[in-house]
């Protein structure tokens, strides 16, 4: 029967796992930590960094230099894997991207911070066994476990950062961590939308983030919005971390020229609605990691998110409760 739909099948040169490994190899081979991110698809990779194209051009003219060696390595990877590898000057840097009155029964979108670090945003309510927890970003605690976490309206610790080892310090690395809440403190299957209305989490996206799809997020700084368009994967690095921390993420771009995320939104929830934006039922999909910004800015129309399904796969005991 004629349906009006044409389906085209094509063969990819590489699996997603092979392209993830290729991006990590490129990052490891780059001199002087000059690369901020490597975007990639099934048969392409784009190496980005400030002044990268001119640095590489100078390297091409100087045999034996670190950049010349990198260009040789890039050419060999391209040939061996049938991948087109490009270089791009990109002077933006990832700035590792909160509701402020909750003292218990924490919702996604609420501000919090780990001891010694700036404000971040709580992601999705979670459980580890019988303990209540919050899924968030690893960089919010400097990629460290054992850090005390504090809510927006309390000077007393609400819990401890954990499971960074499982999700960030092992391969493949993700910008994901968990705050395990103290006894008597709970999280909920709700997320602050805009301005303070709740949406209810009904599950998580087991298949991860779908490309070229629109998602919503809720951050302490930029509040609720539904303008995140998923574009491609990348291997990104935190320019402020010491040692240098890199991880896999999904790039999102704004659908309406407004910001997708801001500094302070990190760790916040990314989700999609059921049955249109009027529905209050949502599916957990991602966690905000960073915004791409030019020097002096704190918000961006392009950013990166981590994937909730990656957290579930890395920590089998992690659950995302539903309401």
């Amino acid at each position: 029967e004629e349906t009006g739909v044409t389906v085209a099948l094509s063969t990819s040169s590489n699996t997603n796992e092979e392209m993830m490994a290729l991006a990590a190899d490129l990052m490891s081979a780059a001199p002087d930590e000059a690369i901020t991110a490597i975007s990639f698809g099934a048969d392409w990779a784009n190496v980005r960094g400030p002044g990268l194209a001119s640095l590489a051009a100078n390297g091409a003219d100087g045999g034996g230099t670190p950049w010349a060696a990198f260009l040789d390595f890039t050419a060999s990877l391209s040939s061996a894997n049938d991948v087109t590898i490009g270089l791009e000057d990109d002077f933006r840097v990832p700035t590792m991207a909160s509701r402020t009155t909750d003292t218990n029964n924490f919702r996604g979108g609420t501000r919090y911070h780990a001891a010694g670090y700036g404000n971040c945003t709580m992601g999705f309510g979670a459980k580890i066994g019988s303990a209540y927890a919050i899924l968030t970003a690893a960089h919010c605690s400097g990629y460290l476990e054992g850090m005390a976490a504090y809510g927006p309206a309390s000077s007393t610790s609400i819990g401890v950062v954990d499971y960074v080892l499982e999700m960030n310090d092992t391969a493949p690395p993700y910008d994901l961590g968990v705050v395990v809440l103290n006894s008597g403190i709970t999280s909920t299957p709700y997320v602050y939308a805009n301005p303070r209305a709740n949406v209810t989490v009904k599950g998580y996206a087991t298949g991860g983030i779908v490309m070229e799809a629109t998602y919503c997020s809720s951050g302490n700084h930029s509040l609720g919005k539904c303008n995140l368009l998923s574009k491609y994967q990348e291997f990104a690095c935190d320019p402020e971390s010491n040692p240098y921390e890199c991880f896999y993420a999904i790039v999102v771009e704004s659908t309406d020229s407004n910001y997708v995320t801001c500094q302070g939104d990190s760790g916040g929830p990314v989700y999609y609605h059921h049955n249109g934006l009027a529905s209050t039922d949502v599916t957990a999909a991602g966690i905000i990691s960073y915004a791409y910004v030019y020097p002096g800015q704190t918000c961006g129309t392009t950013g990166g998110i981590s994937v909730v399904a990656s957290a579930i796969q890395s920590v089998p005991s992690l659950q995302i409760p539903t309401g």
Side-chain angles (χ1 to χ4, degrees):
E1 180 181 348
E2 182 65 44
T3 65
V5 177
T6 300
V7 177
L9 301 178
S10 60
T11 301
S12 297
S13 302
N14 302 280
T15 66
N16 187 60
E17 290 74 17
E18 288 170 339
M19 288 304 299
M20 291 172 69
L22 182 144
D25 288 343
L26 282 171
M27 190 72 75
S28 298
D32 302 325
E33 297 178 344
I35 295 175
T36 54
I38 299 173
S39 310
F40 60 91
D43 56 4
W44 63 272
N46 195 33
V47 183
R48 305 204 313 271
L52 182 60
S54 59
L55 287 170
N58 291 335
D61 296 333
T65 68
W67 278 105
F70 177 72
L71 291 176
D72 289 341
F73 180 70
T74 298
S76 66
L77 273 186
S78 176
S79 176
N81 296 278
D82 194 20
V83 172
T84 300
I85 301 177
L87 304 176
E88 179 184 348
D89 279 332
D90 190 347
F91 289 86
R92 301 172 304 165
V93 295
T95 180
M96 310 310 285
S98 298
R99 327 312 201 251
T100 59
T101 58
D102 288 357
T103 58
N104 201 338
N105 300 316
F106 290 111
R107 303 165 178 82
T110 301
R111 189 181 72 193
Y112 86 101
H113 73 276
Y117 294 88
N119 287 330
C120 274
T121 301
M122 296 182 184
F124 294 102
K127 294 193 80 173
I128 304 286
S130 61
Y132 285 94
I134 295 161
L135 180 62
T136 185
H139 77 262
C140 289
S141 63
Y143 308 94
L144 300 173
E145 294 184 355
M147 310 297 291
Y150 297 85
S154 174
S155 59
T156 302
S157 172
I158 61 171
V160 176
V161 177
D162 205 346
Y163 295 94
V164 174
L165 174 63
E166 288 84 349
M167 293 188 280
N168 180 261
D169 294 342
T170 55
Y174 303 109
D175 184 22
L176 292 166
V178 169
V179 175
V180 179
L181 298 172
N182 295 335
S183 177
I185 299 178
T186 61
S187 58
T188 72
Y190 305 110
V191 169
Y192 281 127
N194 197 15
R196 289 183 63 87
N198 286 331
V199 292
T200 305
V201 176
K202 292 296 185 179
Y204 76 93
T206 57
I209 300 292
V210 177
M211 299 304 167
E212 298 293 338
T214 303
Y215 292 86
C216 304
S217 69
S218 180
N220 178 60
H221 185 100
S222 62
L223 305 181
K225 69 203 82 66
C226 290
N227 66 337
L228 284 69
L229 179 65
S230 54
K231 297 299 293 185
Y232 48 79
Q233 293 187 84
E234 72 177 12
F235 192 56
C237 295
D238 181 350
E240 297 181 353
S241 61
N242 185 18
Y244 214 45
E245 296 282 352
C246 302
F247 46 82
Y248 294 99
I250 306 293
V251 171
V252 292
E253 296 179 353
S254 174
T255 61
D256 58 10
S257 76
N258 292 318
Y259 298 134
V260 293
T261 187
C262 297
Q263 194 170 21
D265 291 346
S266 290
V270 176
Y271 54 91
Y272 61 88
H273 287 260
H274 299 277
N275 303 317
L277 296 179
S279 169
T280 59
D281 294 342
V282 302
T283 295
I287 294 292
I288 297 170
S289 285
Y290 51 87
Y292 272 116
V293 303
Y294 292 101
Q297 297 179 338
T298 57
C299 297
T301 56
T302 302
I305 62 177
S306 299
V307 182
V308 169
S310 298
I312 303 296
Q313 292 162 7
S314 302
V315 185
S317 57
L318 177 66
Q319 308 165 53
I320 304 295
T322 59

